[in-house]
Amino acid sequence: MENLKDLQQDWIKKFDKPFIIAGPCSAESEEQVMETAKQIDKSYVTVFRAGIWKPRTKPGSFEGIGEIGLKWLQKVKQTYGIPVATEIANAEHAKLALEYDVDYLWIGARSTVNPFTIQEIAEAINGTNKVVLVKNPVNPDLDLWIGALERFVAQGVKNLGVIHRGFSAYKKNKYRNNPEWQIALEFKNRYPNIPIITDPSHICGNREGIYDISQQAFNHKFAGLMIETHRNPDEAWSDANQQVTPDELLRILKKLEIRNNDDSDAIFHSKLNALRTQIDELDHQILDLINDRFGISKQIGELKKEHNVAVFQSDRWNEIIKDSKEKGAKIGLSGEFVEKLLQLIHVESVEIQNQIMVDKTTKA
Ligand code: PEP
Ligand code: MN
């Protein structure tokens, strides 16, 4: 078996500009596919995408138009001369996508997590010259992502790339899927030969963040982007919130700055950016957690109100400080810092509970 590290990806080298994949989340009708393909500016967009089989979170949602959509993709290719891409999630999809001569096959995040699925697909496309783009698994597991690529290599698939589409988190924050840039950067570090394409649509889950994520991908000098584009996003049958119109797509692409220089300054900025992004994500998580804590404080306030108990309980406060200082000391935080931080949070909590008591008095 060839080594993933040694496989030079010549397929991407023929492009002298960023590799942009655009098109709807799902193929819905021939008219929707053709009209979207028509409106997309082919001087900026390299590949037209459309999902034919859609892995949906819950049953009962639109699960893709199926085989007929492959005919529409063929028509796009014939009419506009643009190569096409679709997601394959099992051996049957793989067989059909090859039959209909789909140029780029991508593996969805929900498939990358399952080695049996990947093995099945890899065997079904054994030895293909098509380009296979493997999305990161939904969970932040770099080895699982790499393992999927190795399964393709083992089946003689040599034209490879990855798609960075972010990672699921239990706690919802501003992203639908956290970018976790450090994972993609670590991938780039280990496999500089494998192109990374960022998918800001699935990272953001909305239209507003797409430009920022795209620019960050370019700051890290990733190879390209996959951006969901629909002739009428609000009416889309899947992922309506995150799709942009062909016009919006063009505006985003024109605004992006491409970083070409390979000097140490660029590397410094790329690292700085990745670290700052992590700080921003953590700050948001801290705020969400504090907010959750206040929510529980409110419930305690209601309980105290019902039982006519005083808001401030000095025993409880002393216990919180003691426990937190001990925990802080174990992980290297100074006692003074822990006390100050908790004091701030506690004062606000007491204020929230006092407000609940006052409400009681006014209602009574
Ligand atoms: C998609 O690209 O439409 C898709 C289903 O993506 P993911 O596998 O990243 O969820
Ligand atoms: Mn989608």
Side-chain angles (χ1 to χ4, degrees), residues 24-26 49 54 56 87 106 135 176 199 201-202 228 238-240 242-243:
C25 177
S26 302
R49 68 154 274 161
K54 303 301 300 174
R56 305 305 298 278
E87 171 175 348
W106 86 77
K135 286 202 175 195
R176 178 177 175 195
D199 172 348
S201 311
H202 289 90
E228 287 190 334
S238 59
D239 288 351
Q242 69 194 33
Q243 301 200 60

Side-chain angles (χ1 to χ4, degrees), residues 18-23 39-41 43-45 198-202 204-219 224-230 233 241-259:
F19 186 81
I20 309 292
I21 305 173
Q39 290 179 21
I40 280 175
D41 188 326
S43 61
Y44 280 83
V45 174
T198 293
D199 172 348
S201 311
H202 289 90
C204 296
N206 60 49
R207 294 165 201 159
E208 294 69 34
I210 289 180
Y211 166 76
D212 269 359
I213 294 289
S214 303
Q215 185 60 61
Q216 285 191 57
F218 280 6
N219 293 349
L225 302 168
M226 181 192 247
I227 301 184
E228 287 190 334
T229 309
H230 191 292
N241 294 342
Q242 69 194 33
Q243 301 200 60
V244 295
T245 61
D247 280 353
E248 283 173 297
L249 172 73
L250 191 59
R251 268 198 297 279
I252 292 170
L253 295 177
K254 282 188 170 165
K255 215 162 77 168
L256 290 169
E257 278 181 49
I258 300 166
R259 317 264 184 235

